Amino acid sequence: MDGMDHGMASPPSSMNMNNNTGMIMTMHMTFFWGKNSQILFSGWPGTSSGMYALALIFVFVLAVLVEWLSHCRLIKPESNHVVAGFIQTSLHTMRVGLAYLVMLAVMSFNGGVFLIAVVGHTLGFLLFGSRLFKKSTPPSKTSDLPPC
């Protein structure tokens, strides 16, 4: 039994696909390190170090924005409840959309993108969600949106 193959092959760490242009794209199935990757859009950032840095900055900003939207207070307590409901729904839609973009970027399996997304969420929470910069005790309502 020890030497028998049970039909279970280990999955490949990357998959090569032909995109009908003669170019072969590599899609990683495990985390990898390197600037040559594809994040969010086809061909972006490609092989350019500058574009990779821009992609990391973009993912970082997205993660910080998700945390800001999760902890912002833009709706005044005396606002009309219908208007407040539409604003709250719009904020929720933006937060979910940005969070999905961060998730899709992380699904590139690039280690740098993963780390920068975590750092962005961490800094965003430190700035907007923690009590580090707040001098008073938190009010009963801390944000317009419920927690994720």
Side-chain angles (χ1 to χ4, degrees):
M1 265 231 153
D2 289 329
M4 295 179 77
D5 180 15
H6 297 286
M8 301 282 289
S10 61
S13 62
S14 66
M15 197 183 310
N16 292 327
M17 297 180 293
N18 190 342
N19 66 356
N20 295 330
T21 63
M23 295 176 48
I24 295 180
M25 302 181 321
T26 301
M27 187 170 101
H28 292 273
M29 303 304 281
T30 59
F31 276 107
F32 70 99
W33 297 98
K35 66 175 181 58
N36 299 342
S37 61
Q38 195 167 350
I39 304 167
L40 294 177
F41 308 106
S42 178
W44 189 67
T47 58
S48 168
S49 296
M51 291 304 287
Y52 180 69
L54 180 65
L56 293 180
I57 292 168
F58 183 69
V59 171
F60 177 81
V61 169
L62 287 177
V64 171
L65 283 173
V66 168
E67 291 299 324
W68 175 72
L69 285 170
S70 296
H71 298 93
C72 69
R73 294 214 42 187
L74 301 175
I75 302 171
K76 304 272 188 248
E78 63 274 359
S79 297
N80 178 320
H81 72 284
V82 174
V83 173
F86 280 115
I87 292 171
Q88 191 176 25
T89 302
S90 298
L91 290 172
H92 176 73
T93 302
M94 286 190 299
R95 180 178 71 177
V96 168
L98 293 175
Y100 278 140
L101 280 175
V102 172
M103 178 199 62
L104 287 171
V106 169
M107 286 177 59
S108 70
F109 289 105
N110 183 285
V113 172
F114 171 74
L115 290 177
I116 209 71
V118 170
V119 169
H121 279 291
T122 302
L123 182 66
F125 181 82
L126 179 69
L127 294 174
F128 308 116
S130 75
R131 293 177 57 183
L132 181 65
F133 299 110
K134 297 175 183 142
K135 295 184 187 215
S136 63
T137 59
S140 60
K141 184 180 177 190
T142 58
S143 70
D144 290 329
L145 296 175
C148 290

